[in-house]
Every structure is written in C-alpha cells, then in structure tokens.
C-alpha cells in the first residue's frame, strides 16, 4: 500500500476513535445530570430605591412598608419588593381584581435586579459592549385576572420592580402574592457549620461564599445565574475546590469535566465555555489559560473524589492540552506574546498576558506530572518533567528582571500582580524567594493590580503557597470582608474597592453580582486559614 494511503487510513481510524470517545464522554455527562432542589420564598419588604451619591453605587434602599400586598396598582407607579437575599429561580405573580371584571389585558413591566442599581434607574441609556438583553426586564400582557401568572424564564434577583404600564379604565387590580421558586443543585444539608470559635467576619464571608456557590449550581456549574449562565472552565476550577469543602457534589464536577472532554475542538483544545441549550455546544473561542487549567481541574477532582476511572478516562484530553500548550512556545521556550493567542488571566486593563500565561503553562504541567505519576504513565511523566524544567528555566532567564526583582511581561516589560502571583503558584522560585516576591509586588507603585476576584483568589492562593498565611487571611478579609460590609448577599464578578461601580463591560448594570469565581473564601477558610 502506498505510504500516503496508509497515513490517510490511520488518520481516518484516529478520527473515528476520537469521535467514539467524545460520544462516550457526553453520554457519561448526561447520566450525571442533577435534580434541582426547589424552595418557595416570599418577599420580605416593600422598598423604595432612590439615587443618592453617598450610597453604594449611588443607590439607596429604604423600607417603604411592611404591608406587602393588597394596595391598588396605579398605572405608571411602580412598586419594588425586596426578597431579603439573592435567589436564582422562577417568579410567580398572583393578581386580584377589585370591582368590575377586568375587561382588557393588563400590560405590565417586571424588572428583576440582583442590585438596587438594576431596579432604581432607567436601563434605556445603556451603552456597554455586551448585549442589553441581559437586563432582566420583561413586558407582558396578562389576560386573565384574577389569576396566577408565572414568568417564563429563570432569573437571578433580590429585588423585583412591578409596574402597570397600561390598563383599561374599568380595571382595578392588586397583587395578592409574589413567590420566588428558588432552584439549585446544591444540597445545603451537606455543608458542615463552622465551629463557634471562628471569628464573626470569617463566618460572614463563608456564608456569603456558600450562597454565591449555591446560586451558581444548576444543571452545570454556571459562572453567574444572571450572566452568562454558562459553564466556563476558569470558573469551574474555582467552584469545584470551594464545592469540595462545602456541598461536596463531586458528580456535578465530574459531569462538567466530561462535557469539556466531549466538546474539544478539531485541534483538540478544550473550549473555555460550553452552551448547554438548545443542544450541547462548545464556544468556538480558545483561551490558552482556561484550556490548560482543565488539567488542574481534573487533578483536583481526582484528589477530592478518589475517582481513578474518570482520571484514566479523561487523561488523553489532559495530556493533549499540555502538548498544545507546549507547541505555543517560541525558540526560547517562552509562551509567544502573540495577539492571536487568546488568554484570559483577568479583566484588568493594561495587562500584558505573556508571563502569566507562561506561568499557567508551568502550573498545568505540574498538575499533569502528578496525574501521569498517579496513572503510571512513565513516558509522559518524563516528557512533562522535561518541559516543566525547560519552561521554568526560560522564565528565570527571559522573564525575570533582575534589577526590579520582578517578573516582567511582553515587549513593553509590563509589571503586574498577575505575573508574580502565577509564577509563585507555578513554583518557579523557592518558598522564601516567592514570599519576598509577592510582598514586593504588593508595594510596587504603578504595577497592574487585580481587576477581579478571580485574580484576588490567585493572590490569596499565592500567599498561602509562599507560607504567608496571616497575610493571606488579612488580604482576604480586606477584600471580601469589604463586600460583606457593603451588604453583599453574594460575591460579585467585579469588585474594585476604589471604584465600586467599575465594570469591564461599560456599565455596572450588567456586572454579575453572584459570580462563581468569587466564591472561594469558603475554600480558604475551611481548608487553610482556620
Ligand atoms: C465572562 C464571565 C466568566 C469568565 C469569562 C472569561 O464572560 O464572567 O466568568 O470566565 O468572562
């Protein structure tokens, strides 16, 4: 047989095997679909939300009335309900009529908000760069009153604004009740209470972290129940470690790992993000760091669950990410600073991602080495060790600025917290030097700082890794504790203590205020810090 024909045949067989494997992965994921637990919740109070410069994000909330229902709803006069906590679920309205029969449909607007800013102002002037359709604002015509009306979608909210936009002059209606049917796949009975001696602030931070994680756990681990309501790998990795210390739902992590494994792209990259509806589909984007972190997420899962079968099953996906990751190195064994190489790292502005991306590669190689050793894959273990050493050396030779005593990134020699934090996590320096590095960057003027709790998580992790536990606790309390003191019922996607209305999307109205990657204080509190 001519060589070309033979190679084509081999390639054909390889693709068929790959397709069979992917189908197997997806069918395992399907069997792990969770049951959603449901709970009925009533609002706690009726409130007013008014513009006030001195209040958080410029919106002030006051209790209007303890009498929740029954007052006549006048056209153009909205009422706002506060459920007292953040929930993800369905909303049902029970409407009554008074006097004459309702002789025409009633047109209503319902606006649901995680935060006062979403129900206080007008959403019409929005100019951000992500779709305005993320606003939880609906207009309905309700035909049958008295009657019960269930809103068709799942929402994430604490506040509900209800406004009659138009009704017949014969119509007089009121709300008899409003119920949220909260949904989650997190089973709260699994969470061990913290002992009485744990400081109050840590207890509060832990409770808000758990609430955040709970409201992000549905059919898959979602990044945020308001936005994007999708399975993102970077978020999954952090949710999973917080979950092992709290709800301990290993099957949901397993389901998500198999989904990522079953939806790799043609080159073999794990996608950063998966759509579960209307059909399972991977985003066509590749984020270098997120794909590599699949390896660490899988290894963390194995350590938490002891499920060797899954580790063996998904090993080919993990090793493939490392091979693809290494293929992106330049002639110096440094990850290419290539605008075509998408990488997330953080939403921080002015951040060059080359050095943190390089560190993520080393971090993932280390997880891969543990995995190869666990699975007795001697050849792979050797290959991974060699690349770990080469990339570590390359980091010290090409990315270290000996004058500044910091890692720098890209042609512009960008100095960021991200580069130092990820290099510490990658174990590039001995512990003492790592501790000095991380303390140095915290006081370096002009360095690019964290844009999100995602990077703050990695800072805390780096401090723990460098043996600086007290500092880790202090930083954690300083950052997440401030959100608690600001009244957060869940932790936010973006929190800049110096600009609390900051958004990477051009408007804080579309920030997610219950966000997966912010839920990790429970992991630190329960695992390392008490
Ligand atoms: C946003 C989401 C998600 C994050 C990605 C990179 O759309 O907030 O949490 O993982 O970006």
């Amino acid at each position: 047989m001519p060589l070309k024909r033979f190679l084509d045949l081999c390639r054909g067989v390889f693709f068929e095997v790959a397709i069979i494997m992917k189908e197997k992965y997806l069918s395992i994921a399907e069997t792990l679909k969770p049951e959603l637990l449901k709970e009925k919740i009533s609002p706690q109070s009726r409130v007013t939300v008014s513009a006030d410069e001195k209040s958080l994000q410029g919106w002030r909330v006051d209790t209007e009335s303890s009498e929740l229902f029954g007052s006549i709803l006048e056209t153009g006069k909205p009422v706002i309900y506060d459920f007292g906590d953040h929930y993800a679920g369905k909303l049902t309205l029970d409407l009554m009529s008074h006097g004459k029969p309702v002789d025409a449909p009633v047109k209503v607007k319902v606006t649901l908000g995680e935060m006062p800013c979403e129900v206080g102002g007008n959403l019409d002037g929005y100019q951000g760069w992500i779709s305005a359709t993320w606003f939880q604002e609906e207009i309905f015509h309700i035909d049958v009153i008295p009657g019960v009306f269930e809103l068709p979608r799942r929402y994430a909210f604490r506040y509900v604004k209800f406004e009659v936009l138009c009704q017949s002059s014969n119509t007089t209606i009121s709300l008899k009740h409003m119920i949220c049917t909260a949904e989650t796949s997190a089973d709260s009975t699994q969470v061990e209470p913290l002992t009485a001696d744990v400081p109050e602030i840590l207890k509060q931070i832990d409770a808000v972290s758990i609430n955040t994680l709970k409201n992000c756990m549905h059919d898959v681990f979602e990044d945020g129940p308001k936005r994007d309501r999708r399975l993102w790998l970077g978020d999954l990795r952090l949710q999973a470690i917080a979950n092992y210390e709290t709800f301990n739902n290993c099957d949901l992590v397993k389901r998500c790992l198999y989904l990522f494994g079953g939806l790799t792209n043609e080159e073999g990259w794990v996608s950063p993000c998966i759509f579960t509806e209307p059909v399972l589909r991977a985003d066509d984007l590749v984020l270098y760091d997120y794909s590599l972190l699949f390896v660490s997420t899988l290894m963390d899962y194995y350590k938490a669950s002891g499920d060797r079968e899954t580790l063996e099953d998904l090993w080919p996906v993990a090793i493939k990410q490392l091979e693809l990751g290494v293929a992106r190195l330049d002639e110096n064994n440094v990850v290419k600073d290539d605008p075509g190489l998408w990488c997330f790292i953080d939403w921080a502005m002015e951040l060059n991602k080359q050095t943190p991306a390089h560190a993520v590669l080393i971090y993932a190689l280390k997880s891969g080495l543990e995995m190869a050793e666990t699975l007795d894959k001697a050849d792979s273990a050797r290959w991974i060790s060699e690349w770990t050493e080469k990339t570590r050396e390359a980091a010290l030779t090409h990315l270290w600025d000996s004058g500044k005593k910091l890692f720098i990134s890209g042609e512009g020699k960008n100095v960021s917290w991200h580069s130092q934090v990820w290099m510490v996590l990658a174990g590039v320096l001995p512990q003492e030097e790592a501790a000095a590095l991380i303390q140095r960057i915290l006081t370096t003027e002009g360095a690019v700082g964290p844009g999100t709790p995602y990077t703050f998580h990695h800072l805390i992790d780096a401090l723990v890794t460098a043996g600086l536990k007290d500092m880790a606790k202090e930083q954690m309390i300083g950052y997440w504790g401030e959100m608690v003191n600001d009244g957060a019922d869940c932790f936010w996607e973006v929190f800049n203590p110096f600009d609390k209305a900051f958004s990477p999307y051009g408007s804080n109205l579309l920030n997610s205020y219950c966000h997966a990657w912010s839920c990790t204080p429970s992991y630190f509190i329960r695992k390392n810090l008490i």
Side-chain angles (χ1 to χ4, degrees), residues 336-354:
K336 285 184 201 144
D337 188 17
D338 170 359
L341 171 72
W342 282 61
C343 189
F344 174 62
I345 305 292
D346 195 12
W347 283 123
M349 307 292 152
E350 320 282 334
L351 175 68
N352 179 282
K353 301 183 178 179
Q354 180 182 31

Side-chain angles (χ1 to χ4, degrees), residues 90-105:
K90 296 274 181 68
L91 185 72
T92 308
L93 309 171
D94 193 349
L95 289 149
M96 292 204 295
S97 72
H98 302 266
K100 292 184 182 175
V102 173
D103 60 354

Side-chain angles (χ1 to χ4, degrees), residues 223 227-228 232 234-235 287 290 344 347 493 505 515 517:
D223 61 337
R227 208 213 81 243
D228 301 327
W232 281 88
D235 301 77
L287 293 177
Y290 273 25
F344 174 62
W347 283 123
E493 171 188 23
Y505 309 114
H515 210 73
W517 66 27

Side-chain angles (χ1 to χ4, degrees), residues 37 39 184 186-192 210 214 246-247:
L37 305 167
E39 195 188 348
T184 173
D187 178 359
S188 298
T189 62
Q190 298 301 312
V191 183
E192 293 278 337
I210 290 172
K214 174 178 164 192
T246 53
F247 302 109

Side-chain angles (χ1 to χ4, degrees), residues 262-321:
L263 293 165
T264 51
N265 76 5
E266 275 181 10
E267 267 184 277
W269 285 108
V270 164
S271 160
C273 161
I274 282 170
F275 298 86
T276 49
E277 299 281 355
V279 287
L280 283 171
R281 220 191 126 166
D283 199 326
D284 44 15
L285 187 74
V286 170
L287 293 177
Y288 184 75
D289 52 339
Y290 273 25
S291 300
L292 286 167
L293 290 171
F294 175 85
V295 186
S296 311
T297 313
L298 176 59
M299 194 58 203
D300 291 343
Y301 166 77
Y302 170 71
K303 286 185 192 160
S305 67
D307 175 1
R308 194 180 165 99
E309 200 182 332
T310 296
L311 194 68
E312 269 167 10
D313 245 9
L314 294 173
W315 159 256
V317 182
I319 187 73
K320 186 73 187 170
Q321 304 317 298

